[in-house]
Amino acid sequence: MPLLIQNRGLERISATAELFDKYPHLQENARTFRSKPLVDVDPKCLLYVQQREFAATTPADRSGAVCIAHCDGSSTWSEVPLLVKAVTSLSNNVSKEGRLELHLVGGFNDESKTSHKLSLNILAAFQKQKEDIHLEICCITEMNDVVVDGNHRPIVYGIGVNVKTGDVFPSSFAHKGPAEELRSARTFTGEQMVDIYDSSRGLVKIGPCKWSPNLDIAFWLSQSDDTILKYLSTSPMAEPPHFVQHMKSTIRFLLEHPNPDSLFPGGQPQLYRRTERGDWERAVQS
């Protein structure tokens, strides 16, 4: 079935500007969304989803399911079916009512039009799914763009979802765990989209991962911040302030662990569960 907007099938589009021209209410929805106050999410009620990761779960009252994902264009056509399956598999167990809704946020009006290409691919991939999927929020490309000091930047860099209510909101995250560096290393070395959360057991599952020793990356630790931005980012002028430090810590982690097998004894994943205090702790394999 086609992707639905106000219960009508989305027509074929060749540009995001065309989408917003055809469906003006999507512009208004995007303006409303990006004007919401930025929420600094409490780590004690947070599962952070990094690049090329997704997580799906259900609320305590088991009235529905939610999935959040960070797509970067690495393999959109194979990723979108995984996301839809994650939600439908949980929804089939908890509720026969409701509908599948898509909230798409991210990108900006970048010079290379990378965001536009990714956004169109994501929309096209959802169009190919057999389920009816209703596009609700579409705060992408030109609708998520602001010019600062002559440079285009995203307005919204991160989003959060309240699992109990389904509310989606602009967010910032001081904590990006558990196992932030390991998960970043996995993405840095080219691994694909992965489901990181076992909702039935409340466990974050990481790995096992594979990468080859590459001592050449130590070169980047001696370079200036500007050089790292220029060569390790696809949008150097639009990165958040923590980008360079994040890249350096990821490279250090890879240099400290040239053989990832040591991180996964017996070839088993690293597991993390939430404590009564709300923190994540390493769980013992059963």
Side-chain angles (χ1 to χ4, degrees), residues 118-248:
L118 174 56
S119 296
L120 290 173
N121 281 340
I122 291 175
L123 289 167
F126 275 102
Q127 281 271 60
K128 293 292 185 181
Q129 305 311 301
K130 67 179 186 296
E131 296 84 359
D132 286 352
I133 301 172
H134 298 257
L135 181 61
E136 294 296 310
I137 295 174
C138 192
C139 187
I140 60 174
T141 57
E142 54 262 67
M143 293 308 300
N144 191 41
D145 185 84
V146 65
V147 178
V148 179
D149 296 330
N151 298 306
H152 289 266
R153 302 175 65 92
I155 297 173
V156 179
Y157 277 89
I159 63 169
V161 180
N162 185 318
V163 173
K164 293 183 179 180
T165 65
D167 184 36
V168 184
F169 46 87
S171 308
S172 62
F173 311 94
H175 181 71
K176 299 179 174 64
E180 177 184 356
E181 291 178 331
L182 170 58
R183 293 158 65 188
S184 298
R186 189 195 71 84
T187 304
F188 187 88
T189 53
E191 293 206 20
Q192 298 302 302
M193 178 76 81
V194 65
D195 183 1
I196 62 163
Y197 191 59
D198 181 345
S199 62
S200 64
R201 296 190 293 165
L203 292 175
V204 171
K205 183 178 75 171
I206 311 299
C209 305
K210 294 292 184 182
W211 59 72
S212 300
N214 180 8
L215 299 180
D216 292 343
I217 60 174
F219 159 82
W220 293 107
L221 297 179
S222 64
Q223 301 306 300
S224 68
D225 289 1
D226 288 343
T227 299
I228 292 174
L229 264 175
K230 180 179 180 180
Y231 292 101
L232 296 185
S233 169
T234 56
S235 304
M237 302 306 296
E239 294 291 358
H242 65 267
F243 174 83
V244 171
Q245 184 55 45
H246 172 73
M247 295 306 299
K248 287 180 177 179

